Amino acid sequence: MHWMILCIVVCCLSAVADTAIAGSCFRCHAGSGRTVHTVFACTVCHLADGRTLGAPDEATRQAASCTACHPGRERIFSQAMTTRLAEQRFVERSYAMVDSGFFGKNCASCHVSSCRDCHGTPWELKKPSVADCQNCHRGYYTGWDYTGRAPREDNMRYQRGGAEKGETWLKMLPDVHYQAGMTCGSCHGMTSLMEGKKSSKGCRDCHRPDPTVLEHGIAAHMERLECYACHSAWAPQEYGTFFLRFRDRSQKEGFDLKPGPDPEYLRSAYLKAQDAPPLGINGAGRVSPIRPQFIAYYTDIQQARLRGGDNRLLVAEWRAFFPHTVQRGSVTCEGCHDNPRRFLLEPASQRIYRTAQDGLGLESFWLQEGQRLVNGSFFSAGRYRQMSSTANPVYARDSVKKWKDILKRVDASSR
């Protein structure tokens, strides 16, 4: 009995002491709102080895205060969102060849440096919302498309409408999962991110393909295609990314482009598109949407004005990716089977952009020659010919069946 009374007394004194300490902190650090963390004394997180820690959740400390209660979470600091190794390696084989400091000047602003980057302020710690994720996943980074946003053209006359962190957007069709109220965390759980996985769930973890749908009844579709190869309605694509370097800042006059993170550079693009993305083979060996990681060009304005040589092609690289623009429907058969441009096999007879004559070093953006897919491979010409041959009886039969089904629905809706 005496031990029980003593325990209650100690707990009460501890609570009083915690309240007193918190009250002392709040004289300068006024918090707002209450979360699960506000029941603890400030020193639980902000005191270590007799020293007060101003930011106990930073990557430099491996978020030691957070991981005391959330063990293993420090692994996020060794994964892509923190290290950004893929971006650094891309710059090393492209823009760093002409400017060793390029990454720090233009690419270093978005990366996870503390738990608060995703989970909010100390007094409003919470699971990240879609808006929290889009603090970094904006512009050309996958994530904006989920809410129906695509990057606008770079000229200042197009910088209007909604804006986030200095980025304005085109209003596009959002993903059906976003419209249903699903957050990024529904498919990208913390455990999977700590393990370096892109997601914690795949499409078929929630969806069972309806075998009565013609496309689902084709074995090649179900075995060789990612679901989002057909169900991605659109994707932002940037063809020809130009970085213009101004050693003399006065030479910027006349370039009416959106300012970038570094005053030495301006950025623009040859072409931005938001239609159905091209297709290739991803690292899992399945047909997947692809887009230019960057077809990267560099111009030193001062040198170009003195000696010419603008728009130097540094690298032309593509990536297989998942556009977050899922819809129930898909393109018709000929959207893939009779569309060589979608596989970067554009014939000369269909070419309308004359990029080689424009001094861009590529015969076409939609031609595989001179380009590479860094996390997979391009679709081979032989495989495309086999897939699209009108002599293929299965393709001929199913394409006719598909169009008959479409025409039936048109007739029904026209009565």
Side-chain angles (χ1 to χ4, degrees):
M1 185 69 175
H2 292 296
W3 285 109
M4 185 179 296
I5 294 171
L6 180 61
C7 182
I8 293 171
V9 170
V10 168
C11 289
C12 291
L13 289 174
S14 177
V16 171
D18 287 350
T19 303
I21 293 170
S24 177
C25 297
F26 291 154
R27 291 171 191 166
C28 297
H29 301 281
S32 60
R34 292 186 63 83
T35 72
V36 66
H37 295 86
T38 54
V39 300
F40 300 115
C42 304
T43 52
V44 169
C45 297
H46 288 277
L47 192 67
D49 300 325
R51 296 185 303 110
T52 301
L53 302 177
D57 58 346
E58 287 187 344
T60 53
R61 297 190 179 94
Q62 291 291 289
S65 292
C66 300
T67 56
C69 294
H70 304 281
R73 294 300 195 260
E74 72 280 357
R75 284 183 290 163
I76 199 71
F77 299 127
S78 62
Q79 301 303 337
M81 291 195 300
T82 302
T83 64
R84 298 196 63 199
L85 284 178
E87 290 87 349
Q88 291 185 53
R89 287 168 180 163
F90 173 81
V91 170
E92 285 170 4
R93 58 183 180 264
S94 59
Y95 291 108
M97 294 191 299
V98 290
D99 180 1
S100 60
F102 183 90
F103 188 87
K105 296 173 184 176
N106 294 285
C107 312
S109 59
C110 279
H111 67 279
V112 174
S113 59
S114 79
C115 301
R116 283 173 292 129
D117 289 335
C118 298
H119 293 281
T121 62
W123 296 106
E124 297 174 339
L125 290 173
K126 61 188 186 322
K127 290 184 177 181
S129 65
V130 173
D132 292 325
C133 297
Q134 289 183 337
N135 282 332
C136 287
H137 288 269
R138 64 180 191 271
Y140 198 50
Y141 281 100
T142 301
W144 249 29
D145 40 8
Y146 187 59
T147 55
R149 297 174 179 178
R152 287 190 178 274
E153 297 290 343
D154 302 294
N155 193 284
M156 286 302 296
R157 69 172 294 171
Y158 300 111
Q159 303 307 307
R160 59 187 180 82
E164 189 73 34
K165 304 287 184 179
E167 296 270 6
T168 56
W169 65 79
L170 290 167
K171 296 175 178 64
M172 304 289 292
L173 183 68
D175 191 294
V176 291
H177 301 92
Y178 175 72
Q179 292 176 310
M182 291 175 63
T183 66
C184 306
S186 301
C187 296
H188 301 278
M190 185 66 177
T191 301
S192 65
L193 294 175
M194 290 189 302
E195 293 173 351
K197 298 177 181 178
K198 290 190 178 296
S199 64
S200 54
K201 292 180 181 178
C203 302
R204 298 193 195 185
D205 289 327
C206 297
H207 301 283
R208 180 174 297 175
D210 182 354
T212 64
V213 174
L214 187 146
E215 291 87 343
H216 294 170
I218 299 171
H221 285 178
M222 306 311 293
E223 296 167 5
R224 301 175 190 170
L225 274 68
E226 299 288 5
C227 302
Y228 49 86
C230 293
H231 288 284
S232 295
W234 61 275
Q237 301 147 64
E238 185 166 295
Y239 295 95
T241 300
F242 300 92
F243 270 92
L244 314 177
R245 189 177 186 181
F246 297 86
R247 299 178 193 270
D248 179 356
R249 311 295 162 78
S250 66
Q251 293 180 333
K252 279 187 173 181
E253 295 179 14
F255 291 86
D256 193 23
L257 296 171
K258 180 178 65 176
D262 188 86
E264 190 176 355
Y265 281 92
L266 287 175
R267 172 179 167 173
S268 66
Y270 183 87
L271 172 70
K272 292 189 179 185
Q274 293 83 31
D275 55 1
L279 298 171
I281 310 299
N282 64 16
R286 298 170 69 86
V287 176
S288 164
I290 62 174
R291 68 172 176 179
Q293 177 172 3
F294 289 112
I295 302 171
Y297 293 90
Y298 170 83
T299 298
D300 186 317
I301 296 296
Q302 186 169 310
Q303 291 181 8
R305 287 182 174 178
L306 292 174
R307 297 188 291 274
D310 62 336
N311 297 336
R312 174 182 170 186
L313 177 60
L314 301 176
V315 72
E317 293 187 355
W318 291 63
R319 289 189 69 84
F321 77 118
F322 183 169
H324 287 48
T325 60
V326 171
Q327 300 296 320
R328 288 181 63 85
S330 68
V331 298
T332 54
C333 306
E334 62 272 18
C336 296
H337 287 266
D338 192 24
N339 191 352
R341 190 174 187 264
R342 266 201 102 179
F343 298 89
L344 274 66
L345 295 167
E346 182 183 61
S349 60
Q350 296 181 12
R351 207 163 295 153
I352 57 174
Y353 291 96
R354 299 297 178 182
T355 49
Q357 291 91 323
D358 229 359
L360 298 182
L362 292 172
E363 191 64 33
S364 171
F365 292 132
W366 299 275
L367 203 60
Q368 297 174 15
E369 282 73 19
Q371 307 193 78
R372 77 183 189 108
L373 184 63
V374 297
N375 59 345
S377 60
F378 289 128
F379 207 90
S380 72
R383 184 174 175 181
Y384 174 76
R385 284 193 297 269
Q386 181 182 15
M387 177 188 81
S388 300
S389 173
T390 54
N392 184 329
V394 176
Y395 171 52
R397 180 200 66 204
D398 288 344
S399 60
V400 170
K401 186 187 295 185
K402 180 66 178 178
W403 274 107
K404 283 183 176 179
D405 182 55
I406 291 172
L407 291 172
K408 282 180 184 176
R409 279 180 278 160
V410 171
D411 288 344
S413 65
S414 300
R415 291 195 187 101

